[in-house]
Amino acid sequence: MAGLDFETVYQEHKGNIWSLVSRYVFTAEDREDLFQEVFINVHRALPRFRGESAVGTWLYRIAVNTAVNQLKKRDRHRKVIEVLSGLRLIEAEEPAAGAGFSLERPLARLSPRQRMVVTLSDIEEKKLEEIAALMALPLGTVKSTLHRAREILKKELSAYDRL
Amino acid sequence: MIGYDEYLGRIRDGKGTADFAALRRSIGGKIIARQKARARRAAAGVLALFLISAAAYFACPAVMTEGGQLYAYVFEPDISDGPVLDYVFSD
């Protein structure tokens, strides 16, 4: 699609992408890394954009994929370090008494895909059909993933209630 | 005590702030760095391909035999009664 330049795409969509990124990861460093990674991928994919969908949808799909892949990569690195060092880097199954509440901790129990489905559905308030299209998943998979993710999150949050 | 909806609300409200101009500069720097890295990898690939091709060319029997001399040793009937075959077929 002619006339679609990176600077315009960045200026028009930076806010939406930041919104998604900052609801998916929570430290300033993670957010900035992910945000930059999304736009680097957009820059690489821009020559192949054929205009079959709206720019916003196309961009959002890249953001979703980048975010899920980045978290998967981080999980793999963490597992390798755990295996090599013999240490467990993930927090204990139950939050320790007196441990401060963090936004990250309950979501850390979810897989990157579950986490994205919850983010898109319950935080960004996207329709399930839209999520299925964005994540290239069957609608049934989205529904079951969301159901399972909510169960895990509620159980995790109830652990804080007992402290 | 925190419920599911309250938790989602906290995530929704905790967007934080971003310095989009600084992030844009950083993205530009990373794009250039990755393009350079890709160009270096491509150049290294071309060089490796050239070296492999050259090695394969000079290792080719037709080149090593300088005009087919090596094949002459293999296929020439005159050398089939040399000392090696004498030894093989001797009692």
Side-chain angles (χ1 to χ4, degrees), chain A residues 27-44:
Chain A
T27 69
E29 192 186 349
D30 284 348
R31 285 170 171 174
E32 289 180 2
D33 280 351
L34 182 53
F35 180 83
Q36 292 179 62
E37 205 56 42
V38 168
F39 276 102
I40 289 168
N41 287 342
V42 167
H43 183 270
R44 195 181 302 151

Side-chain angles (χ1 to χ4, degrees), chain A residues 40-149:
Chain A
I40 289 168
N41 287 342
V42 167
H43 183 270
R44 195 181 302 151
L46 208 52
R48 296 192 301 274
F49 179 67
R50 294 190 300 270
E52 288 167 354
S53 58
V55 180
T57 310
W58 173 76
L59 199 74
Y60 217 80
R61 195 172 298 138
I62 292 177
V64 165
N65 287 333
T66 306
V68 171
N69 288 338
Q70 186 129 318
L71 218 58
K72 280 184 185 169
K73 204 189 296 178
R74 199 175 74 178
D75 284 354
R76 276 199 299 273
H77 284 174
R78 194 176 55 201
K79 280 174 188 157
V80 168
I81 292 169
E82 282 177 1
V83 168
L84 293 178
S85 67
L87 296 172
R88 186 149 173 76
L89 301 180
I90 304 172
E91 300 87 344
E93 286 300 313
E94 295 284 320
F101 179 78
S102 77
L103 291 176
E104 172 70 29
R105 192 194 286 262
L107 279 173
R109 300 279 173 245
L110 306 181
S111 71
R113 191 166 84 175
Q114 287 173 328
R115 183 170 173 147
M116 182 52 80
V117 170
V118 165
T119 304
L120 292 174
S121 166
D122 292 357
I123 303 171
E124 293 280 294
E125 297 177 338
K126 302 271 183 208
K127 290 178 185 162
L128 295 182
E129 291 78 8
E130 211 177 335
I131 298 169
L134 280 170
M135 297 184 74
L137 292 172
L139 184 59
T141 307
V142 173
K143 285 180 184 171
S144 60
T145 304
L146 181 61
H147 178 73
R148 179 80 189 114

